[in-house]
Amino acid sequence: MAVMPTAPTPAADVEVVVVEPRAIVSWSSILAGALIALASLVLLSVAALAAGLEVAPVGDGGEPLFGTAVASIVTGIFIVIAFGAGGLTAVWAAGHVEPGPAILHGFLVWALALLLLLALVALGVGGFGGTATFLGGGFEAETVEEFEDAAWATVLALALGAGAAVLGGVLATREEISRVW
């Protein structure tokens, strides 16, 4: 059986799909992620306060129930969970599947949440009579070394939050996660 070559066909009308460029940064998803991070951090911290894990019993003036080391570890875990969830939420809501925009979204979630948290503290929402905050007991440094130790602990907490938000954003780009939701 011989195959006959087909005659060339005239140019047909081909539908061309024009894709509009989309913004790399979705501020609404970043705001949602920052709010998720803050709400989760407050919820987890208040639960730890109720359990006595982060502060000493009222009127005791001593250390937290299980010591300052456990309180610091619990707080660090809460920061990782809260900001990881915030970064994941932002990237998922923005619909990104590439790691570049995901990293940017995660970092911006952390930065916006930090600004919102600083605004709340500046307005006095985070404190109760100057002795305690919703994130733990009030801090009064008596020596320069105590102040330096608190500053380094703050740097570590900020780095944990930024890293967790970026990691949560990158995790949201994984096919197993983006396909499910």
Side-chain angles (χ1 to χ4, degrees), residues 67-139:
T68 55
V70 172
S72 299
I73 292 169
V74 167
T75 302
I77 291 170
F78 291 168
I79 289 171
V80 169
I81 291 171
F83 282 99
L88 190 137
T89 300
V91 172
W92 173 78
H96 289 296
V97 293
E98 306 88 20
I103 291 170
L104 179 63
H105 274 69
F107 188 79
L108 289 174
V109 163
W110 170 78
L112 182 59
L114 182 63
L115 287 176
L116 292 173
L117 187 61
L118 289 174
L120 289 173
V121 170
L123 292 172
V125 175
F128 177 71
T131 59
T133 67
F134 64 85
L135 296 176
F139 174 73

Side-chain angles (χ1 to χ4, degrees), residues 29-44:
S29 65
I30 291 169
L31 178 61
L35 292 177
I36 291 289
L38 287 178
S40 300
L41 185 60
V42 169
L43 177 69
L44 292 170

